[in-house]
Amino acid sequence: SKEFRLPISEAELAHAGYARNITSLTSLIDTIDLVPQGNDQVLQSSNDQISNIKKRATGESLDAMVKAPMANCSESIHDVLVTGLVELCKEKPVGVDAVAWLGEWLLNNNPNKPLVIDPEDDDDDDDDEEEDTVL
């Protein structure tokens, strides 16, 4: 037996004009088909407002994707992971601690990590500067 999924968000349902009632969901089911994708089959909706499962990269296409530079960055996923794994080997955590360490390292060293400035921190800095100038 095989399980198939087509995750549909509440926003997609609303945008496509469906509600959570028997009549509406029955009409949604009428738009869903099992279609071939490579050597497998996936669920897809014929309703344009419902996003379908993206094609899964495999083999050479997956290798190319992982080694290609990330958006707005000169590094690839491969480069970041290799660096993280080298650092992990230097630290030598054991078991679950190794997974947690690598996860933290990836979060702290994400080249696409946005710079978030807390407005309260800016206000505090300005107050400090004003106090400094007064003294």
Side-chain angles (χ1 to χ4, degrees), residues 32-64:
I32 297 175
D33 294 308
L34 193 59
V35 297
Q37 185 179 67
N39 294 333
D40 206 358
Q41 291 188 326
V42 296
L43 291 175
Q44 287 190 351
S45 174
S46 58
N47 185 313
D48 294 336
Q49 305 301 319
I50 305 292
S51 62
N52 292 313
I53 295 176
K54 296 177 183 167
K55 184 174 181 179
R56 295 174 292 224
T58 57
E60 291 178 9
S61 64
L62 178 62
D63 190 49

Side-chain angles (χ1 to χ4, degrees), residues 16 19 33-34 38 63 66 70 84 87 109-110 128:
D33 294 308
L34 193 59
D63 190 49
V66 169
M70 293 180 276
E87 294 300 317
N109 294 280
N110 178 357
D128 293 341

Side-chain angles (χ1 to χ4, degrees), residues 1 8 31 39 43 50 82 86 96 100 113 118-119:
S1 125
I8 302 173
T31 72
N39 294 333
L43 291 175
I50 305 292
V82 166
V86 167
V96 175
K113 184 177 185 177
D118 187 355

Side-chain angles (χ1 to χ4, degrees), residues 62-129:
L62 178 62
D63 190 49
M65 180 184 74
V66 169
K67 291 183 178 176
M70 293 180 276
N72 303 320
C73 183
S74 62
E75 290 183 284
S76 69
I77 295 170
H78 179 265
D79 297 335
V80 173
L81 284 174
V82 166
T83 304
L85 291 169
V86 167
E87 294 300 317
L88 177 70
C89 290
K90 290 178 185 177
E91 290 292 320
K92 299 182 182 177
V94 179
V96 175
D97 291 339
V99 175
W101 188 95
L102 183 60
E104 283 295 318
W105 187 93
L106 289 169
L107 288 172
N108 294 331
N109 294 280
N110 178 357
N112 288 322
K113 184 177 185 177
L115 176 61
V116 178
I117 299 172
D118 187 355
E120 291 179 12
D121 288 344
D122 281 349
D123 291 344
D124 291 344
D125 291 343
D126 291 343
D127 292 343
D128 293 341
E129 289 175 12

